[in-house]
Amino acid sequence: MDAGSSLRAPDWSRIELITFQKDFYTQHPEVAAMSEAQVAQMRASLEMTVVGRDVPKPVATFEQANFPDYILEEVAKAGFTKPTPIQCQGWPMAMSGHDVIGIAQTGSGKTLAFILPAIVHINAQPLLQRGDGPIVLILCPTRELANQTQQEVNKFGHSSRIKNTCVYGGVPKAKQAGDLSRGVEIVIATPGRLLDFLESGTTNLQRVTYLVLDEGDRMLDMGFEPQIRKIVSQIRPDRQTLLWSATWPKEVVQMSRTFLKDPIQVNIGSLQTSATHNVIQHILLIEPREKMAKFFDLLKQVMPQGERCLVFVATKRLADQLTRSLRQEGWPALAIHGDKSQNERDWVLEQFKTGKSPLMVATDVASRGLDVKHIRAVINYDFPNNVEDYVHRIGRTGRAEEHGTAYSFFTYEDAKKARDLIAVLREAGQEIPPKLQQMATSSAAYASKTRGYRKTGGYGRGRY
Ligand code: AMP
C-alpha cells in the first residue's frame, strides 16, 4: 500500500482556524534609513537577486535582524561574526511572515536562515497541549540532512527550551514515537517515516503553522513529491511555508506554485548551476582503467596528516571495494552508502567528523547537506550523473568561507557532461582543460558513435 494512502485531507474550508501570528519583523532604524540605491548595491555585492512584491530590505548584521536577545546570545556563543548573504536577506523575509523561496547552496548558512525565525515563531504561539503535534515541520530528503538540521536546532533552540525530534526511516520507531507522543515543537522529518506516524495517529499536523521544505530539488529527484503532497494536505493552508533549494529547475518552480502562496524569493548567486567559489576545481582527464592507480597517486599528493578527504564513487559496491583496497594499502578509510544501517552510517560519519578516520568513501547519499568542517579535498573517483550533483559534491569542501580543492576524474564515458561542466568551471573562474573543451565540442558526434569519429580528432577510446 502507498505510504499515507489512508490519510484523508481535511476540508479546510469547513474548519474554523484559530488565528495565529506570523509577522514578527520590525525594521531596524539603520535598515529603514538605507536608500533604494544602497539596497541595490548591497544586494549586488552579496551576489543576490530578489523576486516578488514588498521584499524587505536586507540586513547587514545580527542586531539589524532584530532578533530577541536570547537568540542574539546564542549567535554570539556560536562565534559567528556576521550573517551570510542568504541570512542577510532570508531573515527579514521569513520574519515578516511571507512565504519564502530561497535558492542557495548547502554551506551557505541556509539552515540558520530558516531556524532562527522558526524559533521566534514558536515562542509567539500558545504552548503545546497534550496530544498536540509540532508547530514547525521541516521536511528533508535524507537522514543525514535531518540529523544536521537537528544539530543546529539543538544549538540555537535550547535557551528557549524548544523540544525537537528527528523522524526518519531505517531505525526503530519506538524512540521517535515516544518523542512525538510527549510533544515537540519542531519535527525534522523525511517524508516516508512521517507519513507512517501520521497514519498511525502517533502525531498530527494540526498545529503546524511554519513549514519548511528543505532541499526541494533533491526531494523531487528522490521521488518524494507524492508523499510531500499528502503531508502538506494535512497542514492548514494559511501556514507560512519556506521552500529551499540549491537549484531552480522547472520542477521546483512547479513545486513552489503548488505549496506556496504569493511567495517572495531570494537567489544567491546565479540561477544556473553554480559551484561555490571557495573551491579550486581540477578536472583530470584519464582512461577508465587508469582510475585506481591515478587515485592512489592523487591521495599521496592531497592527504597530509589529519586532514579530511571525501571520495565519491558511483555505486555502493565500488564504495566497499575501494575502501577495502585503501585499507589494504594502509589508508584509514571507511565507506558510507545506502546499504549500511543507520547506526553504521552515524558511526562512520562520526569517525570522519572527528578526524579518527580522515578518509571517507561515499555514494551520493553523502553528497548533499553533509556539513563537516575542514574537508580539505573532495575526489570524484567517478564523475556524477549530472553537474548539479557535481556542484553538490564539491560543495562538501570550501564550507563557510574555508577553502578547498576538488579533483574529478573525467573519462570518455562522461563526455556528454562536458559542456555543462565547462559552464560551471567558467562561472567559478576555474581553468578549463583544453581536452575537456574539445570533448564538449565533439560530444554530439561522440554520442552518435560514428565510425570515423576518431579520425575527425574527437576523443574516442584510448586518446587520454
Ligand atoms: P548550512 O548551509 O546551513 O549547511 O550551513 C553551513 C555551516 O555554516 C554550518 O556549520 C553553520 O553552523 C555555519 N554557519 C551558519 N551561519 C553562519 C554565520 N553567520 N557565520 C559563520 N558560520 C555560519
Side-chain angles (χ1 to χ4, degrees):
M1 199 167 68
D2 280 352
S5 57
S6 69
L7 280 179
R8 298 270 301 274
D11 179 357
W12 292 108
S13 65
R14 300 173 71 114
I15 297 174
E16 197 186 337
L17 295 166
I18 300 162
T19 51
F20 71 97
Q21 194 191 349
K22 58 181 174 182
D23 178 4
F24 306 97
Y25 188 54
T26 327
Q27 205 177 38
H28 192 283
E30 288 164 11
V31 179
M34 280 170 83
S35 67
E36 284 308 313
Q38 284 169 319
V39 168
Q41 197 179 15
M42 181 172 167
R43 287 192 179 129
S45 72
L46 297 176
E47 295 187 33
M48 70 168 64
T49 51
V50 295
V51 186
R53 273 180 292 156
D54 303 327
V55 179
K57 295 175 182 176
V59 299
T61 63
F62 296 113
E63 289 70 30
Q64 284 184 358
N66 261 337
F67 285 123
D69 287 345
Y70 61 85
I71 289 199
L72 289 179
E73 280 161 24
E74 293 298 328
V75 170
K77 249 192 257 167
F80 297 166
T81 50
K82 63 175 195 319
T84 65
I86 190 72
Q87 294 165 354
C88 291
Q89 185 60 69
W91 282 333
M93 289 165 83
M95 291 277 281
S96 54
H98 286 92
D99 278 7
V100 172
I101 299 168
I103 308 299
Q105 305 290 339
T106 37
S108 60
K110 75 179 160 62
T111 316
L112 226 52
F114 62 75
I115 282 177
L116 298 190
I119 293 171
V120 175
H121 182 105
I122 292 169
N123 284 327
Q125 311 305 324
L127 292 174
L128 288 187
Q129 303 294 315
R130 227 184 132 77
D132 277 354
I135 297 168
V136 168
L137 173 64
I138 302 169
L139 287 180
C140 306
T142 64
R143 304 179 272 203
E144 278 74 16
L145 190 65
N147 279 324
Q148 266 168 217
T149 305
Q150 184 179 36
Q151 281 166 19
E152 300 273 288
V153 173
N154 286 342
K155 230 190 294 171
F156 293 92
H158 95 121
S159 64
S160 33
R161 303 225 184 100
I162 289 175
K163 298 180 289 315
N164 72 78
T165 196
C166 238
V167 158
Y168 46 77
V171 292
K173 289 185 184 162
K175 182 180 175 301
Q176 297 177 358
D179 287 347
L180 290 173
S181 314
R182 275 188 292 278
V184 288
E185 284 88 358
I186 303 183
V187 168
I188 307 150
T190 55
R193 177 59 65 93
L194 179 64
L195 278 176
D196 280 355
F197 283 130
L198 291 173
E199 282 194 301
S200 61
T202 315
T203 190
N204 63 75
L205 303 180
Q206 283 155 21
R207 287 269 330 247
V208 173
T209 45
Y210 188 99
L211 168 68
V212 178
L213 304 170
D214 197 9
E215 303 266 359
D217 49 358
R218 186 62 165 173
M219 289 207 280
L220 293 184
D221 281 352
M222 293 173 71
F224 284 142
E225 220 251 47
Q227 283 102 316
I228 296 172
R229 204 177 269 279
K230 281 188 189 122
I231 290 168
V232 177
S233 75
Q234 305 295 306
I235 306 176
R236 52 191 284 171
D238 58 349
R239 66 183 179 261
Q240 182 178 6
T241 309
L242 300 97
L243 168 65
W244 302 89
S245 182
T247 57
W248 187 231
K250 60 180 187 314
E251 294 78 10
V252 182
V253 177
Q254 188 53 46
M255 182 185 199
S256 73
R257 293 199 182 121
T258 313
F259 299 123
L260 278 68
K261 280 206 192 101
D262 206 8
I264 51 179
Q265 177 168 353
V266 53
N267 311 310
I268 303 293
S270 79
L271 275 186
Q272 274 117 34
T273 306
S274 68
T276 156
H277 291 193
N278 298 347
V279 181
I280 301 168
Q281 303 175 51
H282 296 286
I283 307 297
L284 309 169
L285 289 112
I286 60 166
E287 292 280 350
R289 63 182 157 75
E290 293 175 315
K291 271 189 185 177
M292 186 72 92
K294 295 263 182 203
F295 174 64
F296 280 107
D297 289 348
L298 188 58
L299 270 190
K300 285 185 205 129
Q301 201 184 313
V302 302
M303 265 204 65
Q305 286 301 315
E307 299 211 64
R308 263 147 272 189
C309 178
L310 180 57
V311 181
F312 283 105
V313 293
T315 63
K316 300 173 217 173
R317 188 198 290 188
L318 184 57
D320 286 333
Q321 271 171 5
L322 193 61
T323 307
R324 258 196 311 277
S325 308
L326 281 164
R327 297 180 80 83
Q328 275 162 8
E329 296 285 322
W331 294 96
L334 291 171
I336 188 164
H337 58 65
D339 271 359
K340 303 229 168 211
S341 72
Q342 186 58 28
N343 272 347
E344 243 180 312
R345 281 159 70 166
D346 290 345
W347 182 79
V348 168
L349 205 53
E350 203 46 40
Q351 298 293 303
F352 185 57
K353 276 188 173 174
T354 54
K356 283 186 194 138
S357 176
L359 193 53
M360 185 163 85
V361 182
T363 57
D364 273 312
V365 147
S367 78
R368 299 212 189 198
L370 183 78
D371 180 29
V372 179
K373 301 250 159 49
H374 316 305
I375 297 184
R376 180 177 142 77
V378 165
I379 299 179
N380 284 312
Y381 185 93
D382 293 317
F383 198 83
N385 286 334
N386 54 62
V387 289
E388 276 168 22
D389 284 342
Y390 170 77
V391 166
H392 285 290
R393 285 181 179 187
I394 69 165
R396 298 315 93 214
T397 178
R399 314 269 299 163
E401 311 287 308
E402 286 179 21
H403 288 269
T405 312
Y407 302 87
S408 305
F409 290 148
F410 199 92
T411 77
Y412 64 84
E413 290 165 345
D414 305 304
K416 61 180 186 306
K417 296 164 240 171
R419 218 173 66 160
D420 288 349
L421 175 59
I422 287 171
V424 171
L425 295 171
R426 185 167 291 136
E427 197 274 338
Q430 302 290 312
E431 209 170 299
I432 298 165
K435 279 181 176 178
L436 186 68
Q437 187 75 61
Q438 283 168 280
M439 204 188 269
T441 319
S442 37
S443 73
Y446 182 82
S448 67
K449 289 200 169 72
T450 44
R451 272 189 188 197
Y453 179 58
R454 271 198 224 172
K455 286 187 219 128
T456 65
Y459 281 86
R461 243 167 238 273
R463 289 295 297 269
Y464 53 84

